[in-house]
Amino acid sequence: MPPGTGDVAISVGQLLPHAEVVVVTTPQRAASDVAVRSALVARQTGQRVTGVIENMAAMTLPDGSVLDLFGSGGAAEVAAALSTVEEDVAVLASIPLSAALRQDGDAGEPVVATHPDDPAAAALTAVAERLAAVPRGLAGRSLPVAPARD
């Protein structure tokens, strides 16, 4: 979903009240503030925040220096703001800026397949593996279905 707390986020939350939400932010404070507000709206509609992903994070340049184009720490701030005594919200991944990710996205190709050694591809693969490892069965959940009445 697009960032924010507008009608789209509220409508989706009402349609999928028990969905799990992954909050995506960039490192900058303005973006992390919006991400926190979006997650709080999701919680108000019954959704559960499963983690935070930071996009457009620091990029390591060929000479080994690090470019923090959008700052740093946004995901950690969001995770801390959303964590409660009952629920710890973790940073799931920090995906660095990547020319390969942009180029492959423009070409409609998954960077994880075309450039698996790219740092962004490695981060995406790691978060996919982490999320896939969490059981998400329906045991104990009420489903919005009822038997047909004749």
Side-chain angles (χ1 to χ4, degrees):
M1 290 192 318
T5 56
D7 292 341
V8 172
I10 293 169
S11 296
V12 170
Q14 290 169 338
L15 289 171
L16 304 168
H18 300 291
E20 294 180 355
V21 175
V22 173
V23 177
V24 180
T25 187
T26 60
Q28 39 197 145
R29 180 172 298 257
S32 62
D33 289 346
V34 172
V36 169
R37 288 195 308 271
S38 296
L40 294 175
V41 168
R43 280 187 175 158
Q44 289 174 348
T45 61
Q47 297 172 326
R48 182 170 103 50
V49 178
T50 59
V52 180
I53 295 176
E54 185 173 71
N55 194 16
M56 298 192 294
M59 173 183 186
T60 302
L61 300 174
D63 67 359
S65 63
V66 175
L67 174 63
D68 276 331
L69 189 62
F70 295 103
S72 64
E77 288 179 14
V78 172
L82 296 176
S83 291
T84 64
V85 174
E86 298 85 25
E87 181 180 31
D88 183 42
V89 176
V91 175
L92 300 174
S94 183
I95 302 168
L97 286 168
S98 163
L101 176 61
R102 188 211 37 92
Q103 291 165 350
D104 290 345
D106 286 346
E109 299 287 333
V111 71
V112 296
T114 56
H115 295 94
D117 295 331
D118 183 78
L124 290 166
T125 299
V127 75
E129 289 171 350
R130 183 173 179 179
L131 290 174
V134 177
R136 288 186 167 73
L138 297 176
R141 289 187 164 188
S142 61
L143 300 175
V145 295
R149 301 201 183 243
D150 294 328

